[in-house]
Amino acid sequence: FLEYQAPLRTFLNNYTRGMVRLPDKKERKLTPNEIAQLTYLFENTVDKVTSVFNGHAFRAYNHMTQNWERQINRALFDAVTLVFSQLTIENLVANRHQIEDSLIQLCANPEFLTAINRSTADRGSFFKRIRMFSEAIAAAGLDSGIHQIIPQI
């Protein structure tokens, strides 16, 4: 994810085709073992997210309606999955209410809302929302370390 370059669609398409961009800008196909590892990581991470958020996974909180949005927010998906991938399901479930409260608070922050709703493919917005979510979860007692390695853009 540190190599992310807009547009997001191209970045994700390269991964779904089994391609990875190396630091020297060359591309190579993933091995079957690497694909299996990434598949497991993805499925395990989605299980973590649904264990914490249940029916409102990947949805922003709307403070005007005082309810979770009905539609999945793809930009929020980035932030939540990256952070949750680094944490254990046991710690996440044990801190479920603090995590939900943290996201609700973030959804009152205009800077975070901009990062998940406007110019979402922008590299700066991508890193900002991930950093902000990671910091909020760390403040709730679950430090993924992601916010410490995100580039300042």
Side-chain angles (χ1 to χ4, degrees):
F1 75 92
L2 293 174
E3 300 297 323
Y4 172 73
Q5 293 291 325
L8 180 60
R9 175 176 288 168
T10 301
F11 180 75
L12 293 176
N13 283 344
N14 286 338
Y15 264 90
T16 58
R17 282 195 316 255
M19 298 297 289
V20 65
R21 186 173 300 271
L22 302 171
D24 63 3
K25 306 293 186 214
K26 293 182 181 174
E27 291 184 348
R28 72 165 175 85
K29 276 209 165 280
L30 295 172
T31 67
N33 188 44
E34 288 170 322
I35 292 170
Q37 288 175 341
L38 288 172
T39 300
Y40 173 79
L41 177 62
F42 176 79
E43 291 173 349
N44 188 43
T45 301
V46 171
D47 287 345
K48 292 175 186 180
V49 175
T50 56
S51 294
V52 170
F53 292 110
N54 296 315
H56 51 270
F58 311 117
R59 289 164 174 85
Y61 187 81
N62 184 320
H63 284 273
M64 291 180 66
T65 64
Q66 295 188 351
N67 211 340
W68 297 97
E69 294 287 346
R70 293 178 65 188
Q71 289 203 334
I72 288 175
N73 183 303
R74 289 180 284 180
L76 187 56
F77 177 93
D78 298 339
V80 174
T81 55
L82 281 169
V83 172
F84 277 32
S85 72
Q86 301 301 305
L87 300 166
T88 67
I89 194 165
E90 295 80 15
N91 286 338
L92 288 164
V93 170
N95 292 283
R96 177 179 182 269
H97 298 294
Q98 295 94 318
I99 295 168
E100 281 189 335
D101 290 345
S102 295
L103 182 55
I104 289 169
Q105 289 174 13
L106 272 177
C107 289
N109 181 321
E111 189 177 3
F112 184 74
L113 288 175
T114 297
I116 66 168
N117 292 317
R118 301 194 194 284
S119 302
T120 57
D122 176 73
R123 185 174 166 90
S125 292
F126 176 76
F127 289 131
K128 181 178 285 190
R129 65 180 170 259
I130 295 166
R131 183 182 314 102
M132 291 179 78
F133 184 74
S134 179
E135 289 170 345
I137 299 307
L142 294 165
D143 191 355
S144 68
I146 298 272
H147 58 281
Q148 297 166 359
I149 62 171
I150 293 281
Q152 294 287 337
I153 294 181

